[in-house]
């Protein structure tokens, strides 16, 4: 609160020995103001979040080995109402493919990426798209799902529907991906980021069933799951 001067924030994993392949993501709090946040290593600074920046690209991710965080107060005439804050996540590098900071976030997943996503995602469900709502100011879309089979979920993203009609829930993706309601069933996978379910790979279920059985016959499946 009342930011002045500067400070260095060093984030460390709580596991021993720590993984060599970690990704650190930060997300400014909604009303954060009064300071710029930089990536710092051996005295060199790279701007990550500018004071007052709350745009759609507000999540910033980088490799853990790239440095620490340098938080510097921006010059202000009145600091009495300024509070600087951010959330952070430290994740294994394999989750990087699901962060919405990639150069091609809307590219369809390859067969190998789908099969790996089934094994490593925070949620894996079979279902259909009920509706899609858009938030242009945040450059994001919310996909409302009707789920017929729940394979895995680490958080309660999907809850029982009315009168025993499967599960209901929603996941987020970028507006530029142009997701629209459509017929048919899909396999939805993804990860939790900052308390929000983010869409990863989402092939049509019939396509997933084909690629899974092909890999199974060749002994290449990274894990097992039911496809009926």
């Amino acid at each position: 609160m009342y930011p002045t001067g500067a400070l260095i924030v060093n984030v460390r994993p709580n596991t021993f020995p720590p993984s060599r392949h970690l990704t650190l993501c930060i997300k400014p709090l909604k009303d954060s103001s009064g300071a710029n946040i930089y990536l710092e290593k051996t005295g060199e600074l790279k701007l990550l979040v500018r004071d007052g920046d709350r745009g759609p690209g507000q999540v910033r991710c980088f490799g853990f080995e790239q440095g620490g965080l340098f938080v510097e107060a921006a010059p202000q005439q009145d600091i009495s109402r300024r509070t600087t804050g951010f959330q952070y996540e430290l994740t294994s590098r394999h989750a990087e493919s699901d962060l919405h900071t990639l150069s091609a976030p809307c590219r369809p997943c390859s067969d190998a990426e789908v099969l790996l996503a089934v094994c490593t995602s925070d949620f894996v469900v079979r279902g259909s798209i009920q509706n899609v709502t858009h938030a242009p100011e945040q450059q994001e879309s919310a996909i409302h799902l009707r789920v017929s089979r729940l394979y895995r979920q680490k958080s309660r993203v999907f809850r029982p529907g009315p009168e025993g009609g499967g599960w209901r829930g929603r996941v987020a993706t970028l507006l530029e991906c142009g997701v629209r309601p459509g017929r048919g069933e899909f396999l939805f996978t993804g990860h939790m980021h900052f308390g929000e379910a983010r869409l990863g790979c989402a092939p049509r279920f019939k396509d997933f069933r084909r690629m899974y059985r092909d890999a199974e016959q060749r002994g290449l499946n990274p894990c097992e799951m039911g496809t009926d």
Side-chain angles (χ1 to χ4, degrees), residues 4 12 17 46 48 52 69-70 78 87 92 100 109 120-121 128-129 137 141 174 186 191 196 202 211 214:
T4 59
R12 294 288 182 267
K46 177 182 178 181
L48 294 176
L69 298 175
F70 183 84
D78 178 12
Q87 297 173 283
S92 297
H100 52 292
C109 294
T120 60
S121 294
S128 57
I129 300 175
E137 68 282 359
S141 297
L174 293 181
F186 297 81
H191 284 272
E196 182 180 53
M211 66 181 73
D214 287 348

Side-chain angles (χ1 to χ4, degrees), residues 9-201:
V9 180
N10 288 313
V11 178
R12 294 288 182 267
N14 60 353
T15 58
F16 185 84
S19 171
R20 294 182 180 179
H21 306 289
L22 295 172
T23 295
L24 177 63
C25 294
I26 65 170
K27 180 180 181 181
L29 298 181
K30 183 178 179 181
D31 297 321
S32 179
S33 65
N36 299 314
I37 303 175
Y38 299 85
L39 177 63
E40 185 274 335
K41 188 171 185 179
T42 62
E44 295 186 5
L45 300 178
K46 177 182 178 181
L47 182 64
L48 294 176
V49 181
R50 190 180 303 277
D51 178 27
D53 181 11
R54 306 182 190 89
Q58 59 185 335
V59 175
R60 298 288 186 268
C61 300
F62 53 90
F64 182 67
E65 73 283 354
Q66 290 182 252
L69 298 175
F70 183 84
V71 185
E72 182 181 40
Q76 306 286 344
Q77 292 184 344
D78 178 12
I79 65 170
S80 62
R81 297 183 181 181
R82 306 285 179 173
T83 301
T84 298
F86 60 88
Q87 297 173 283
Y88 74 89
E89 288 185 343
L90 192 59
T91 60
S92 297
R93 189 65 55 85
H94 70 75
E96 207 171 353
S97 61
D98 293 284
L99 299 172
H100 52 292
T101 54
L102 297 177
S103 59
C106 305
R107 174 182 60 83
C109 294
S110 67
D111 289 7
E113 288 170 331
V114 170
L115 294 173
L116 184 60
V118 167
C119 305
T120 60
S121 294
D122 291 338
F123 63 87
V124 182
V125 300
R126 174 182 178 179
S128 57
I129 300 175
Q130 275 192 303
N131 191 24
V132 179
T133 56
H134 304 294
E137 68 282 359
Q138 298 174 354
Q139 291 295 297
E140 291 199 339
S141 297
I143 309 169
H144 303 262
L145 303 180
R146 180 195 298 268
V147 173
S148 58
R149 183 162 182 182
L150 185 64
Y151 295 101
R152 182 192 315 125
Q153 66 170 340
K154 292 185 178 180
S155 300
R156 297 194 66 185
V157 178
F158 304 98
R159 299 174 182 271
E163 301 178 359
W167 295 265
R168 302 289 187 274
R170 70 176 187 178
V171 299
T173 191
L174 293 181
L175 181 65
E176 67 183 86
C177 294
V179 177
R180 294 175 294 179
R183 296 182 179 180
E185 283 200 309
F186 297 81
L187 185 78
F188 298 97
T189 70
H191 284 272
M192 300 299 298
H193 293 300
F194 299 104
E196 182 180 53
R198 309 279 322 178
L199 183 65
C201 297

